Amino acid sequence: MPSNSRPVRPGSTFALRRTPFTAVVGGLGALVLTASLAGCGGGSGASEAPVVTVYSADGLKGVKNDGWYDQVFADFEKETGIKVTYAEGGSGEMVDRAAGEKDNPRADVIIALPPYIQHAERLGLLAPYEPKGSERVHGSGKSTRDRWVSVVNNYFGFVYNTKELKDPPVTWEELLDPKYEGKLQYSTPGVAGDGTGLLIKAMEDFGGEKPAMDYLRKLEKNNIGPTPSTFKLAAKVDKGEILVANGDVQTNFEQSKSLPNLGIWFPAREGGEPTTFAMYYGAGLAEGAPHSENGKKLLDHMLTEKAQKQVSGIGGGFPARTDVRPTDENAIELAGLMDGIQLFEPNWQRIEPSLDGYIDSWKDATGN
């Protein structure tokens, strides 16, 4: 494992710094609306049970009600008596929904990936609140204005079919090989958070917007086409329908438990080192939240030591708190997966206001 950070190219717009993964770790689809676990039924008026409403990016609630959210919400309800009403979708989708309800807010807590959580902050959708435990979260994983904080860390990645590809791809350039024609797909930037992440990674690795778009224009020959769901791509890779797709470590690691042909990898430029960046779940209290105090309690609960220790063992992700270092089997396996991978830190304050322009450039380059 490298012991020193690899320097960022001078003048890089996209990355602030690069650092070994262990230095950090050591220290979107159809809308789903559910009542958490025990449900929301029964009663009205004064007799109705207290509630808190969460709008969240997907990925942390289990398909079989066995995800991190499922456990955290169940524990929270048991401890407080507050029921969680939950809506999920793509990060952009959920922020747009909250923005549409700005004059009559319905969400108490908003959770989204970057740069969408930064977008929510800029739109004035998040109220100032510093949850208990947030002082233990690294500065890059929280707002400087106390509008949001990471509750789960996650990282951008790719997946490949381990049965069909005995030697997994290593570089971006390899993906241009004709053998990947019709066997490669990535989720839609601007719709799926991981699809937007692919743009950020390409711009960092290729040194800017234009060279990244030039590459993606070439890659389009092999790409099946846009899709709003990153989650569904893993199953297609596992079946061999496609060989390579984008994704994220937390979701794909969990999926690999039931998809035996799924492998995770991190692309590099030819002759370069594999890199990734944090795609954390940033959580904030909604401005004008109808159940503001309940929202604060849930945010506090998500950052408790107990909940943070469950992130890897149940959710297959990484704790946001730097002082929580789980030793469960998943945590050990995840550490091995990330061994030797360098991290760069995107400059979200520059990226977020320019995101629409990047999406337009991608559309122009690919014809999508």
Side-chain angles (χ1 to χ4, degrees):
M1 179 180 302
S3 58
N4 297 312
S5 300
R6 184 175 121 191
V8 177
R9 289 183 298 278
S12 172
T13 302
F14 307 104
L16 297 176
R17 64 173 178 270
R18 202 180 286 272
T19 184
F21 171 79
T22 51
V24 175
V25 172
L28 298 140
L31 185 67
V32 178
L33 180 61
T34 64
S36 162
L37 306 164
C40 282
S44 61
S47 62
E48 187 175 347
V51 299
V52 59
T53 298
V54 177
Y55 283 7
S56 177
D58 49 13
L60 292 177
K61 193 176 190 305
V63 175
K64 299 180 180 179
N65 296 324
D66 56 355
W68 186 70
Y69 274 164
D70 300 287
Q71 185 64 58
V72 167
F73 293 167
D75 290 345
F76 177 73
E77 182 177 337
K78 183 177 180 180
E79 293 173 15
T80 66
I82 300 170
K83 296 182 182 296
V84 180
T85 299
Y86 175 71
E88 74 170 27
S91 288
E93 178 184 6
M94 300 318 295
V95 171
D96 285 347
R97 180 176 174 179
E101 299 169 352
K102 188 174 182 179
D103 293 336
N104 183 27
R106 300 180 183 180
D108 300 303
V109 173
I110 299 172
I111 303 175
L113 305 179
Y116 298 100
I117 193 66
Q118 287 85 358
H119 187 54
E121 178 177 3
R122 186 163 67 88
L123 292 178
L125 301 179
L126 303 176
Y129 181 63
E130 188 175 5
K132 297 174 183 177
S134 61
E135 72 279 1
R136 301 289 188 175
V137 176
H138 190 273
S140 62
K142 54 188 174 183
S143 165
T144 57
R145 300 168 59 236
D146 296 331
R147 267 19 183 223
W148 57 267
V149 62
S150 170
V151 292
V152 170
N153 277 348
N154 192 13
Y155 299 90
F156 177 82
F158 272 66
V159 290
Y160 72 98
N161 182 292
T162 58
K163 183 178 179 180
E164 299 292 333
L165 297 175
K166 300 303 181 184
D167 295 315
V170 176
T171 68
W172 287 101
E173 288 82 359
E174 287 179 71
L175 298 181
L176 299 176
D177 192 297
K179 75 177 182 181
Y180 292 110
E181 186 171 355
K183 292 291 185 178
L184 179 149
Q185 192 172 21
Y186 62 88
S187 52
T188 308
V191 177
D194 292 326
T196 303
L198 182 140
L199 284 191
I200 304 306
K201 177 78 161 75
M203 288 190 290
E204 165 62 18
D205 284 359
F206 285 91
E209 180 180 352
K210 185 180 185 304
M213 300 309 162
D214 288 343
Y215 169 80
L216 292 173
R217 181 181 293 109
K218 297 175 185 176
L219 185 66
E220 196 61 19
K221 182 178 180 180
N222 291 344
N223 184 25
I224 291 178
T227 173
S229 174
T230 312
F231 185 87
K232 295 179 181 178
L233 293 179
K236 295 176 69 174
V237 171
D238 179 71
K239 294 176 183 176
E241 295 176 15
I242 56 177
L243 298 178
V244 173
N246 69 312
D248 64 76
V249 174
Q250 178 266 326
T251 301
N252 296 146
F253 180 81
E254 274 298 285
Q255 290 175 310
S256 70
K257 301 298 184 181
S258 58
L259 301 177
N261 301 318
L262 199 66
I264 299 173
W265 68 292
F266 305 91
R269 285 296 305 278
E270 203 166 66
E273 303 173 29
T275 66
T276 188
F277 64 97
M279 294 195 70
Y280 45 75
Y281 289 83
L285 181 70
E287 181 66 47
H291 311 101
S292 178
E293 292 306 310
N294 294 348
K296 292 177 181 179
K297 290 176 182 178
L298 180 59
L299 289 169
D300 289 348
H301 180 82
M302 286 180 165
L303 285 174
T304 60
E305 186 173 351
K306 176 184 177 181
Q308 288 291 296
K309 284 182 176 179
Q310 295 169 335
V311 168
S312 58
I314 296 175
F318 304 82
R321 283 179 49 163
T322 58
D323 62 326
V324 175
R325 303 178 183 183
T327 58
D328 59 83
E329 184 177 337
N330 282 353
I332 294 170
E333 193 172 346
L334 285 164
L337 174 67
M338 302 297 293
D339 190 9
I341 307 300
Q342 298 266 327
L343 296 183
F344 67 91
E345 184 183 330
N347 191 330
W348 297 116
Q349 298 307 314
R350 293 185 181 181
I351 291 172
E352 185 272 322
S354 304
L355 183 59
D356 287 345
Y358 298 149
I359 301 302
D360 289 341
S361 293
W362 172 78
K363 290 178 180 178
D364 290 342
T366 63
N368 288 312

